[in-house]
């Protein structure tokens, strides 16, 4: 028995060494790894084709060899450069913790809000670095004035992370939550906007919508909803967990009051990173103990932060900017269109995402017939090296097509699906 254990240990050590060697080789092979990590701007570059660019992007990830990873909507894979930077920073921090954290490393951490602002079309003074989307929405919901009976308008397709903040308002301050029943797939922008218009009442004080819906990947026309709500004294919160990193984001143009997102999904950043945007004009309305010390990463009220992780997040933002956010969005939408078409050819399933690119996103979901169990499909895919997301309430599966995904990945998933349904 002991012999077996030591043999296994030896094997595991060999595997780790091989993996480490192959990762460092990857980092060394390509000159453009350095270019990316230094934040060189490829946005207007014509000398790098999409094929080369995204092959390189894929090379820079640390995903298991051969794994087909189609669940960025839950957690995105971070590039090697973030891992390297964080490891370096953790080491530096532990060499002289207080001096680093409140000295050079602390200063570097404080530059990240500005990077986020540039990445998302906002001002630095409007950005708070959180741990995730849930925290961002909770900070706002637990920090606003509320009168018993005031209404929240939202949908029946929101994620539990956003609902936590709304439920808090209902449980502690008498908020009434009204959920619009979402059509799926949605037919048109007009259908969605009419739904909002007809659901607002004189008591509506907050509207919460997802920029990209977690279930079907529906892309809400946020700018148009902002127009509808303009001048109505209704706080418009957007749950952006599934959007930045996939879509090009310009917060000032979108016009919402609040936007919360995670860094560890489509942005592919370190885990436990997030952003809360609050438009200047509504900042006085939100008072939460976490932000009484101001919006800087470290303050009297936020306390000590994880500087290495936050700095690593900043580097991933540089990486996205180097790739180009509009270019990434285009790539994601092309992949999603391919995925949509291939899934549409599979008999027995129903694609529940919108085909219209204005309403769709890089997420394509499909529901299974009653005779198939999505748990079984999930496990069978997982065991064959394909990571997908199971949507238990809908007996459905969600596919996330990010810039590193290939048509070949989609083909493999579809081939296995055909064997199962
Ligand atoms: C739309 C939406 N909102 C919120 C969340 C929660 O994200 P986090 O756990 O990073 O707070 C998710 C997670 O999948 C989501 O899809």
């Amino acid at each position: 028995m002991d012999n077996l254990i030591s043999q296994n240990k030896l094997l595991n050590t060999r595997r780790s060494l091989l993996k480490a060697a192959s990762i460092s080789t990857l980092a060394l092979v390509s000159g453009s790894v350095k270019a990316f990590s230094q934040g060189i701007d490829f946005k207007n570059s014509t000398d790098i084709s999409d094929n080369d660019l995204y092959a390189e992007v894929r090379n820079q990830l640390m995903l298991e060899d051969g794994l087909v990873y189609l669940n960025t909507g839950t957690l995105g894979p971070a590039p090697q450069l973030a891992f390297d930077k964080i490891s370096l920073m953790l080491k530096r921090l532990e060499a002289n913790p207080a001096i680093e954290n409140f000295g050079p490393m602390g200063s570097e951490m404080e530059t990240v809000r500005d990077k986020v602002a540039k990445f998302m079309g906002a001002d630095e003074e409007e950005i708070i670095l959180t741990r995730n989307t849930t925290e961002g929405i909770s900070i706002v919901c637990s920090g606003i004035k509320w009168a018993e009976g005031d209404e929240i308008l939202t949908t029946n397709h929101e994620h539990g992370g956003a609902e936590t903040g709304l439920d808090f308002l209902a449980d502690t301050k008498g908020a009434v939550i009204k959920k619009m029943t979402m059509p799926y797939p949605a037919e048109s922008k007009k259908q969605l906007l009419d739904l909002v218009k007809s659901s607002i009442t004189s008591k509506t004080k907050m509207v919460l919508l997802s920029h990209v819906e977690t279930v079907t990947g529906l892309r809400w026309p946020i700018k148009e909803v902002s127009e509808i709500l303009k001048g109505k004294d209704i706080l418009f919160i957007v749950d952006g967990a599934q959007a930045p990193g996939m879509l090009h984001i310009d917060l000032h143009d979108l016009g919402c009051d609040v936007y919360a997102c995670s860094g560890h999904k489509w942005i592919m950043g370190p885990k436990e990173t997030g952003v809360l945007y609050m438009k200047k004009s509504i900042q006085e309305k939100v008072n939460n103990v976490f932000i009484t010390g101001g919006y800087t990463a470290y303050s009297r009220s936020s306390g000590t932060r994880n500087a290495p992780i936050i700095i690593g997040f900043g580097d991933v933002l540089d990486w996205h900017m180097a790739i180009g956010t509009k270019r990434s969005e285009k790539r994601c939408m092309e992949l999603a269109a391919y995925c949509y078409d291939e899934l549409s050819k599979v008999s027995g399933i129903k694609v529940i995402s919108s085909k219209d690119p204005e309403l769709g996103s890089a997420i394509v979901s499909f529901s299974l017939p009653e005779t198939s169990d999505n748990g079984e499909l999930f496990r069978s895919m997982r065991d064959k090296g394909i990571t997908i997301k199971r949507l238990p309430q809908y007996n459905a599966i969600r596919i996330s097509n990010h810039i590193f995904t290939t048509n070949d990945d989609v083909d493999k998933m579809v081939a296995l699906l055909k064997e199962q349904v």
Side-chain angles (χ1 to χ4, degrees), residues 105-121:
M105 202 174 287
S107 307
E108 198 173 338
M109 171 176 72
E110 294 298 347
T111 65
V112 176
R113 283 174 63 227
D114 183 49
K115 289 187 187 189
V116 171
K118 293 197 168 84
F119 179 68
M120 297 178 66

Side-chain angles (χ1 to χ4, degrees), residues 73 132-134 159 161-162 210 212 214 239 241-242 262 264-265 398:
N132 49 51
T133 308
T134 306
H159 187 275
S210 291
V212 169
T214 199
D239 175 344
Q242 298 290 344
S262 305
H264 41 238
K265 294 180 185 284
R398 184 181 76 190

Side-chain angles (χ1 to χ4, degrees), residues 11-29 59 61-65 80 83-84 87:
L11 260 179
N12 284 338
T13 317
R14 277 205 195 124
R15 271 193 211 116
S16 319
L17 284 173
L18 277 173
K19 177 98 184 164
S22 70
I23 285 170
S24 53
T25 319
L26 273 182
L28 291 174
V29 224
N59 270 344
L61 307 181
M62 298 180 291
L63 289 172
E64 259 171 52
D65 286 345
Q80 171 86 38
F83 177 83
D84 290 346
S87 313

Side-chain angles (χ1 to χ4, degrees), residues 257-274:
D257 298 314
V258 172
Y259 193 99
C261 68
S262 305
H264 41 238
K265 294 180 185 284
W266 294 84
I267 299 177
M268 300 160 73
K271 312 306 171 265
E272 206 178 275
T273 50

